């Protein structure tokens, strides 16, 4: 048996996304393009006798931060150490703080690798009614880009301009900003996924802006299932999801190896994705 580890090509990245869908993670239809826009070398794979056996992503950001996701071993090859070999090889090249959203079955393993729990994330899902039209919620245009980028950097912790170029133009979705007195007070993106639509991120200065954005974005789903990944410490965000009729369907643990970024969780009503943070 021979094993090799290398960066995945675009077709192999799509295979990794298919594996994530099989695991029930419900990726967006065009997520891979945005991930690769941020870091074209983010996806790595371990090949056993030439066949893809395990995958992982480690997306690099400005400021020496990386976020790990898509950690999957092919089901028929689990229990042989292949996934862990890929994990170890990937981490030899990572410096600074590394974040991830860990599923319940892997959290102890991540802790043994030096990751520390920051908070839980709760995925809410279900059908939600569209909100009343609010003139302060507008499609993101060139005039809003700087304000959106500033809010994104504050809420994510690091600038990610190349990712935003792709994420703010979802081919199967919508990106909106909440603009008051000429300033961006919030923004959100909804994108079509293998099942229904996900809203993420949903960043806002206050509950009013978050609710207005949420109501407008939900209309894109046209009555279909909607999912929102909420940081558990943000009680106002949980109330927004529950008040719209959504219920918890999945949970992760946000964990960091190295100093955790000081995120303004009160402004984070929905994280971007479990794969990118």
């Amino acid at each position: 048996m021979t094993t090799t580890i290398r960066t995945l090509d675009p077709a192999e990245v799509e295979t990794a996304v298919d594996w994530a869908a099989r695991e029930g993670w419900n990726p967006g239809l065009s997520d891979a393009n945005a991930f690769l826009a941020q870091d074209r070398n983010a996806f790595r794979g371990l090949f056993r006798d030439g066949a893809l056996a395990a995958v992982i992503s480690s997306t690099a950001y400005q400021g020496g931060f990386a976020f790990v996701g898509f950690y999957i071993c092919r089901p028929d090859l689990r229990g042989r150490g292949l996934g862990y070999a890929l994990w170890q090889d990937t981490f030899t090249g990572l410096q600074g703080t590394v974040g991830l959203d860990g599923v319940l079955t892997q959290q102890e393993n991540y802790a043994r690798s030096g990751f520390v729990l920051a908070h839980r994330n709760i995925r809410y899902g279900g059908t939600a009614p569209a909100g009343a039209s609010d003139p302060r919620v507008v499609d993101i245009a060139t005039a809003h880009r700087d304000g959106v980028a500033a809010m994104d950097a504050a809420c994510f912790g690091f600038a990610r301009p190349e990712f935003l170029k792709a994420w703010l133009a979802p081919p199967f979705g919508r990106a909106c900003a909440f603009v008051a007195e000429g300033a961006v007070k919030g923004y959100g993106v909804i994108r079509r996924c293998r099942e229904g639509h996900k809203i993420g991120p949903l960043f806002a200065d206050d509950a009013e802006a978050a609710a207005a954005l949420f109501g407008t974005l939900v209309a894109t789903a046209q009555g279909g299932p909607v999912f929102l990944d909420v940081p558990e410490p943000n009680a106002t965000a949980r109330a927004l999801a529950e008040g719209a009729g959504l219920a918890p369907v999945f949970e992760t643990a946000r964990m960091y190896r190295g100093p955790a970024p000081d995120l303004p969780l009160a402004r984070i009503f929905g994280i971007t994705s479990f794969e990118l943070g």
Side-chain angles (χ1 to χ4, degrees):
M1 181 185 73
T2 60
T3 61
T4 56
I5 295 173
R6 62 169 173 81
T7 300
L8 299 184
D9 65 32
E12 291 162 344
V13 170
E14 292 297 342
T15 297
V17 175
D18 286 340
W19 287 9
R22 185 184 61 200
E23 295 293 316
W25 300 350
N26 195 25
L29 297 186
S30 58
D31 282 4
N33 292 334
F35 296 172
L36 292 173
Q38 175 61 35
D39 183 354
R40 65 182 182 179
N41 298 314
F43 286 82
R44 308 181 76 238
L46 182 145
F47 293 78
R48 180 177 183 267
D49 294 334
L52 188 59
V55 297
I56 195 171
S57 67
S58 57
T59 305
Y61 296 93
Q62 297 177 13
F65 177 65
F67 203 89
V68 170
F70 286 96
Y71 182 38
I72 309 168
C73 186
R74 221 171 69 198
D76 61 305
L77 295 176
R78 291 175 182 172
R80 306 184 190 188
L82 299 174
Y84 188 57
L86 177 59
W87 172 276
Q88 289 181 304
D89 185 83
T90 298
F91 270 77
T92 61
L94 296 181
Q95 304 294 326
T97 295
V98 182
L100 58 78
D101 279 318
V103 298
L104 291 174
T105 56
Q106 291 291 333
Q107 287 170 24
E108 290 186 7
N109 292 333
Y110 297 144
R112 284 194 287 269
S113 294
F115 284 83
V116 177
L117 175 68
H119 58 82
R120 294 164 51 217
N121 289 317
I122 303 170
R123 172 164 294 169
Y124 283 86
T127 57
S133 177
D134 190 319
R136 295 171 295 181
V137 177
V138 297
D139 290 316
I140 293 175
T142 301
H144 310 125
R145 294 277 175 157
D146 288 347
V148 167
M151 172 163 282
D152 188 80
C155 292
F156 181 70
F158 301 88
R160 45 181 181 175
E162 296 307 315
F163 167 77
L164 282 183
K165 288 178 184 177
W167 202 255
L168 296 180
F172 307 101
R174 190 179 182 188
C176 294
F178 183 95
V179 181
E181 299 177 355
V184 173
K185 302 294 186 180
Y187 95 90
V189 177
I190 187 168
R191 70 197 194 281
R192 188 176 174 185
C193 297
R194 300 293 178 96
E195 177 191 356
H197 289 70
K198 285 182 186 173
I199 295 175
L202 180 58
F203 299 153
D205 286 346
D206 54 41
E208 180 184 18
L213 283 163
F214 179 85
T216 297
L217 294 171
V218 163
T220 301
Q222 297 182 330
V226 174
F227 301 92
L228 179 69
D229 299 332
V230 174
E232 188 274 338
N234 188 337
T236 306
R238 299 200 317 270
L240 172 64
E242 292 165 5
L246 306 185
V249 296
F250 189 66
E251 181 181 317
T252 69
R254 173 62 58 86
M255 307 178 79
Y256 295 100
R257 190 189 74 171
D262 184 17
L263 299 180
L265 294 181
R267 300 172 72 195
I268 302 174
F269 290 77
I271 68 168
T272 306
S273 82
F274 288 153
E275 294 79 29
L276 286 177

